[in-house]
Amino acid sequence: MGLATKVSHVKDFDLYHLRISGKALCWTADATSHEFLINGLKRGVSPKHRYREKSRPSLSRMAMLQLYSQLLEAQGLPPPNPTSTYHAVKESMENHRKVKVKLIGQDGIFSGWVRSGAEWQAFDLNQNTPQPEH
């Protein structure tokens, strides 16, 4: 199944309910497990453990940044600068920006979804956040 086919299945799904519920069932093709997320956190994880690596949802931004870095290294390509923020890494890729416009732009299937903004994407591979300048 190609990406275009997967996206067309998303269009048929009732996205409105997921927008307002704060809940999501996440599964990966060919995987034997799934994750149930509530407000972006794995269900059943206590608040004091939510930031542990093993408690992190596989769809979290931190997990995606780490996976991207691992994929680059596996391909023999240089990983992102360890001090570059998630936002900076994403915005440096032209293909990412084009796809983002297609999906969340005015005519995109996710056009009405709330966007978090750069301040929520200001962390690096080591989970550090830049300190404000005084």
Side-chain angles (χ1 to χ4, degrees):
M1 179 184 300
L3 180 60
T5 306
K6 290 178 185 176
V7 170
S8 70
H9 288 317
V10 171
K11 287 181 182 178
D12 297 333
F13 188 72
D14 181 11
L15 297 175
Y16 177 77
H17 176 72
L18 286 179
R19 283 185 216 167
I20 61 171
S21 72
K23 299 175 185 172
L25 175 62
C26 305
W27 72 93
T28 305
D30 302 326
T32 58
S33 65
H34 63 278
E35 294 177 338
F36 191 77
L37 307 180
I38 300 174
N39 293 325
L41 303 171
K42 279 187 181 180
R43 180 178 174 196
V45 173
S46 70
K48 69 179 185 179
H49 295 141
R50 72 173 62 162
Y51 298 110
R52 290 183 177 176
E53 187 171 348
K54 70 179 185 175
S55 300
R56 183 182 304 132
S58 60
L59 291 177
S60 70
R61 291 176 175 147
M62 176 54 76
M64 292 293 171
L65 180 59
Q66 290 174 337
L67 178 61
Y68 175 67
S69 178
Q70 292 166 1
L71 288 171
L72 289 175
E73 288 182 31
Q75 294 297 313
L77 300 169
N81 182 327
T83 60
S84 292
T85 65
Y86 170 81
H87 181 75
V89 171
K90 277 192 341 179
E91 293 303 313
S92 70
M93 295 179 276
E94 184 178 351
N95 286 341
H96 168 79
R97 291 191 312 271
K98 287 180 181 178
V99 170
K100 182 177 176 181
V101 168
K102 292 273 188 195
L103 292 174
I104 65 174
Q106 185 175 2
D107 297 324
I109 61 173
F110 300 117
S111 62
W113 284 38
V114 176
R115 296 175 202 126
S116 62
E119 66 273 13
W120 297 103
Q121 302 174 24
F123 57 87
D124 64 22
L125 277 166
N126 298 315
Q127 300 182 33
N128 297 319
T129 56
Q131 297 302 316
E133 295 181 20
H134 296 284

